[in-house]
Amino acid sequence: MSMSGAEFSGVGEDPRIFRNVCRDRILKDMLKPDKDKENKSAWKVLIMDKFTVKIIGYACKMAEITDAGISLVEDLFKRREPMPSMDAIYFLQPLKENVIMLLSDMSGRCPLYRKAYIFFSSPIPKDLVTYIKNDMSVIPRIGALREMNLEFFAIDMQGFVTDHDMALTELYSANGHNSKNFNDTISTMAIRIATTFASLKEFPCVRYRAPKSADPSIAPKFDMVPKWLANAVYEIVSKYKSTIPEFPQKETCELLILDRPIDQIAPVIHEWIYDAMCHDLLEMDGNKYIYEVSKAGSDPEKKEALLEDQDPLWIELRHTHIADASERLYEKMNTFVSKNKAAQLSRDGGEVSTTDLQKIVQALPQYSEQVEKLTLHIEIAGKINKFIREYGLRDIGQVEQDLVFGDAGAKEVINILRSKQNMSQENKLRLLIIYAIVCPDKFEGDKGDKLMQLAKLPSDDMKVIKSLQYLVGSDAKKTGRAGGFSLKFDAQKKKNTGVRTERQDGEEGWALSRFFPLIEELIEKLSKGELPLNEYPSLSEPSPTAQGTAQSGSAAKPAQNPQPMSRRSRRTPQYAKSRNSDDGQSSDSAVLRHASGDFKRLGNRIFVFMVGGATRSELRTAHTLTMKLKREIVLGSSSIDDPPQFISKLKSLGPS
């Protein structure tokens, strides 16, 4: 008996998927540009700087790099042994210090390598080209000198970051508006965004969030960020039409540039999808999860697991509700055991445990990799469900979502702060941040201080909530009194500024899944041609080919009333009983399987870039809307932030 492909399915290898395009550019255009002409036994050395090594690390596996003829990967700034019989491929940022090291390697009587094939991650300044040409001993040893235009990290099949982790502070803080960092951040961010379009040979119709101020000439700098970034990107990409062969002359896709002020709730609310909960509740180092494995007669052994696209179970579960993920894992485990006699003999009886799975691995070594993955995710889901119970997250999450949709107010917030004495400081602060965004009037004067006292939070945490005004717009700066509090966008706004309208599609089947990031509405409106130009101006008239021709597969359905909680299974956590019938469409693996098969039939791409950090729920939106809209959605951002990271950045926004 073998584990079926349906149970452990992976991502399709369609070459048009965003990250696969990036990978192929590295493997085919840079590492093996003339593979048909080359001697297959000619190994090469790959030399990178600290930035470009990350670009390749996100896009390719080490085995793929080796298969492309690379025998050794080296750091540009570390001492290296001469290899005069081998060619070297340099993949570098176009910086003077990098060029100096390159020339040092290849100049003189005894160069380190036979030939240098040089690839820069973005356009190289003319002065650096001249600097290289002036070294006459190096010129004959250069086999190629090209601009790859690949200066972003492809962190997901449909997502990238520009590695501007401090963009929120550098662009929106009270202290940073006049600093040189502001202009440098906008400039480098624009270059890196533009290289995504160079890599994909796409020419975007660029739109952006309009400044909130009626008079842009007096608007604070941070309110102008999307407009200035949009202009910078469009200027760079327009030049590609004459500098990059076969680059489109008309718009082929859409780019919407947003910033964190459009949705301040998404980074702090408790999300209930598997991916978000892993990064919110567990100790993670990027995508690396560290855990312990107990072995009989020995001390627990520490192990590391990467939660990434190469793990088919992760791909299937990451965008599902934690309750759905838990059920699927136990169903897979029980199905495997019930269909395999050797596995049944390895059990101690009763329910299948992770210890049973370890015995199964010993009895069935041919299934060790699959069972180990299953064991890992069962442990992760179990740990998350344990924290949900211990931290009382079901009740906290209910109040959070009720606040967002206008179904809760001061009474519910005060009740939960009084009743949950063991509520963590972070969870109290996250709840009050949401409350301040939805009901800013409740924090004016000394009201906010009283709420902080009730929550038993230090006065320093009030600075976090006051820092929200730097993500609002010009009126906060204009009307906010010294030491006062203001989150008012404009005079027309109602008191409950953050309340959003509940979706009417009836798609979600799990409790505590009402919340959705606002970019979901914006992307759908953009795809339908309904995004208001006065709120999201365009830098050019979109051509008919820029907008996708594919329409949503079904019309919006009327909202269904929540049904009484049904007993789905004994293992379904009580907080997550189904509200509606389970239609089976929430699986990310199903989306990906369909996406892989139907990719050539999708309409033109939509790119969304979030300045100031995107969330995992927003990354999930890119995946789920891809098949709904029949257009590949690619989400870019300055960084991907989990709630603790975002709160830490909020603290740094206020005056020092």
Side-chain angles (χ1 to χ4, degrees):
M1 181 267 174
S2 64
M3 291 193 174
S4 69
E7 290 178 336
F8 289 93
S9 56
V11 181
E13 289 300 307
D14 193 296
R16 279 197 56 189
I17 295 176
F18 172 73
R19 185 156 69 181
N20 289 349
V21 173
C22 305
R23 179 198 63 194
D24 289 349
R25 287 207 65 222
I26 291 169
L27 297 178
K28 297 176 182 178
D29 296 351
M30 184 171 70
L31 301 187
K32 223 169 182 181
D34 301 310
K35 62 180 181 179
D36 295 331
K37 301 176 184 178
E38 283 185 1
N39 181 349
K40 293 185 178 179
S41 64
W43 291 92
K44 298 177 289 293
V45 180
L46 175 61
I47 301 155
M48 297 176 284
D49 58 39
K50 289 182 179 179
F51 186 80
T52 54
V53 75
K54 291 181 181 179
I55 295 173
I56 286 191
Y58 278 107
C60 306
K61 303 175 193 174
M62 193 61 207
E64 292 172 328
I65 295 171
T66 303
D67 289 344
I70 301 299
S71 62
L72 187 63
V73 176
E74 295 268 39
D75 184 328
L76 177 67
F77 287 93
K78 287 187 178 177
R79 185 180 180 88
R80 285 165 277 128
E81 291 294 324
M83 296 182 178
S85 64
M86 295 184 71
D87 292 339
I89 293 176
Y90 285 84
F91 182 35
L92 309 171
Q93 281 189 290
L95 305 175
K96 188 167 184 178
E97 57 265 36
N98 288 349
V99 172
I100 289 172
M101 287 298 296
L102 163 67
L103 296 180
S104 174
D105 287 353
M106 299 305 298
S107 62
R109 293 184 178 181
C110 301
L112 291 185
Y113 311 104
R114 182 174 57 192
K115 284 269 188 184
Y117 294 83
I118 306 164
F119 297 86
F120 288 108
S121 56
S122 58
I124 180 171
K126 290 181 180 179
D127 61 317
L128 288 184
V129 175
T130 303
Y131 192 73
I132 294 172
K133 286 181 177 179
N134 287 341
D135 193 330
M136 299 308 295
S137 66
V138 171
I139 298 299
R141 297 166 183 163
I142 295 178
L145 180 61
R146 287 181 55 190
E147 294 170 347
M148 280 296 288
N149 286 308
L150 190 67
E151 200 163 276
F152 55 89
F153 301 161
I155 58 164
D156 183 85
M157 296 303 288
Q158 292 172 225
F160 69 93
V161 295
T162 58
D163 194 37
H164 289 93
D165 193 55
M166 298 309 296
L168 196 70
T169 303
E170 290 165 350
L171 300 177
Y172 297 90
S173 76
N175 308 308
H177 293 160
N178 296 319
S179 68
K180 181 177 179 293
N181 284 345
F182 186 96
N183 292 333
D184 288 347
T185 300
I186 292 286
S187 176
T188 57
M189 195 180 293
I191 290 170
R192 292 175 186 177
I193 294 170
T195 65
T196 63
F197 298 101
S199 292
L200 275 67
K201 290 193 175 177
E202 293 263 30
F203 183 35
C205 170
V206 182
R207 298 182 67 175
Y208 59 92
R209 174 191 66 78
K212 293 185 176 70
S213 173
D215 185 357
S217 64
I218 62 171
K221 276 179 125 180
F222 73 91
D223 195 28
M224 301 295 293
V225 166
K227 181 176 182 177
W228 287 343
L229 182 61
N231 282 322
V233 171
Y234 190 73
E235 183 180 350
I236 297 168
V237 175
S238 295
K239 291 178 182 176
Y240 291 157
K241 291 195 284 187
S242 59
T243 59
I244 296 179
E246 300 179 8
F247 194 80
Q249 300 300 301
K250 293 183 179 180
E251 290 89 347
T252 60
C253 63
E254 293 175 272
L255 167 63
L256 177 62
I257 294 181
L258 307 169
D259 58 353
R260 197 62 271 162
I262 67 139
D263 188 355
Q264 302 157 49
I265 293 176
V268 294
I269 195 169
H270 283 89
E271 275 284 352
W272 294 80
I273 58 173
Y274 189 54
D275 180 8
M277 298 209 89
C278 285
H279 287 85
D280 192 357
L281 300 180
L282 305 180
E283 290 189 18
M284 300 277 295
D285 179 10
N287 287 336
K288 188 188 298 179
Y289 170 63
I290 302 171
Y291 62 105
E292 289 187 346
V293 175
S294 299
K295 291 189 176 181
S298 62
D299 294 332
E301 177 187 350
K302 277 199 170 184
K303 283 195 170 187
E304 295 180 352
L306 287 175
L307 304 182
E308 57 180 1
D309 292 346
Q310 280 70 49
D311 178 354
L313 256 181
W314 171 251
I315 290 297
E316 177 182 347
L317 301 173
R318 62 178 175 172
H319 293 156
T320 61
H321 193 289
I322 179 61
D324 189 12
S326 301
E327 281 197 353
R328 290 180 189 219
L329 287 167
Y330 280 100
E331 285 170 5
K332 288 177 187 295
M333 180 175 64
N334 289 324
T335 299
F336 175 66
V337 170
S338 67
K339 293 183 178 180
N340 198 297
K341 291 182 180 179
Q344 293 170 24
L345 294 173
S346 302
R347 292 176 55 188
D348 291 330
E351 293 186 354
V352 183
S353 66
T354 52
T355 303
D356 292 331
L357 284 173
Q358 289 163 11
K359 292 180 181 178
I360 291 169
V361 170
Q362 296 171 358
L364 300 166
Q366 66 269 37
Y367 301 130
S368 61
E369 184 178 351
Q370 294 98 319
V371 176
E372 281 177 6
K373 290 288 186 189
L374 187 55
T375 306
L376 169 67
H377 286 285
I378 287 173
E379 179 192 313
I380 289 174
K383 204 176 268 189
I384 289 172
N385 285 315
K386 178 187 173 188
F387 289 147
I388 288 170
R389 292 190 299 271
E390 288 181 357
Y391 301 158
L393 292 185
R394 176 195 176 190
D395 295 334
I396 296 170
Q398 191 68 58
V399 174
E400 287 177 346
Q401 299 206 15
D402 286 347
L403 279 172
V404 171
F405 290 100
D407 297 330
K411 178 182 176 183
E412 288 77 12
V413 172
I414 291 169
N415 283 345
I416 197 167
L417 290 175
R418 284 177 173 167
S419 62
K420 288 202 172 292
Q421 298 297 320
N422 62 342
M423 193 171 169
S424 71
Q425 181 174 326
E426 181 191 306
N427 285 336
K428 290 177 184 177
L429 183 56
R430 287 166 68 172
L431 179 64
L432 290 180
I433 289 172
I434 294 169
Y435 189 35
I437 294 167
V438 175
C439 303
D441 58 303
K442 301 298 183 183
F443 283 76
E444 292 178 347
D446 63 350
K447 295 177 185 177
D449 293 327
K450 289 180 179 178
L451 277 169
M452 300 299 280
Q453 290 170 10
L454 175 63
K456 297 179 182 178
L457 291 175
S459 58
D460 191 53
D461 281 344
M462 188 62 187
K463 294 178 183 177
V464 177
I465 295 177
K466 287 182 178 179
S467 292
L468 291 169
Q469 65 184 295
Y470 298 99
L471 298 182
V472 170
S474 57
D475 289 337
K477 289 291 186 67
K478 202 187 303 179
T479 62
R481 296 165 300 181
F485 182 81
S486 177
L487 277 179
K488 295 179 180 177
F489 289 89
D490 52 50
Q492 284 72 43
K493 287 288 182 182
K494 299 178 181 179
K495 283 187 177 180
N496 289 5
T497 57
V499 171
R500 61 191 71 186
T501 305
E502 193 156 5
R503 288 173 297 194
Q504 300 298 311
D505 52 24
E507 286 182 1
E508 295 291 345
W510 299 94
L512 295 174
S513 59
R514 298 166 69 193
F515 178 80
F516 61 95
L518 285 179
I519 67 163
E520 185 172 322
E521 286 185 354
L522 297 179
I523 294 171
E524 291 201 58
K525 286 181 179 179
L526 178 65
S527 182
K528 295 174 184 176
E530 297 174 357
L531 197 63
L533 278 168
N534 61 324
E535 296 177 22
Y536 299 91
S538 174
L539 293 182
S540 64
E541 286 295 325
S543 64
T545 55
Q547 298 181 341
T549 55
Q551 298 296 319
S552 177
S554 61
K557 298 176 183 178
Q560 300 176 15
N561 293 325
Q563 298 299 317
M565 298 291 191
S566 61
R567 298 181 181 274
R568 291 176 57 85
S569 86
R570 195 164 56 81
R571 288 196 177 275
T572 305
Q574 184 66 29
Y575 65 85
K577 295 299 174 80
S578 177
R579 295 188 300 151
N580 302 315
S581 61
D582 187 358
D583 61 6
Q585 296 302 309
S586 58
S587 168
D588 191 44
S589 63
V591 171
L592 289 166
R593 282 197 299 272
H594 286 102
S596 179
D598 297 342
F599 218 87
K600 292 179 181 178
R601 293 194 290 273
L602 294 183
N604 294 323
R605 290 184 176 99
I606 293 176
F607 292 82
V608 179
F609 190 85
M610 179 69 74
V611 184
T615 70
R616 297 184 188 279
S617 61
E618 289 166 340
L619 188 56
R620 178 204 186 204
T621 295
H623 286 267
T624 54
L625 286 185
T626 288
M627 289 314 299
K628 181 177 181 180
L629 303 178
K630 294 184 169 55
R631 300 178 68 178
E632 185 187 15
I633 314 297
V634 178
L635 176 68
S637 182
S638 48
S639 60
I640 296 289
D641 291 340
D642 300 314
Q645 294 169 309
F646 180 73
I647 291 172
S648 176
K649 291 176 183 180
L650 270 183
K651 287 182 180 179
S652 65
L653 292 186
S656 55

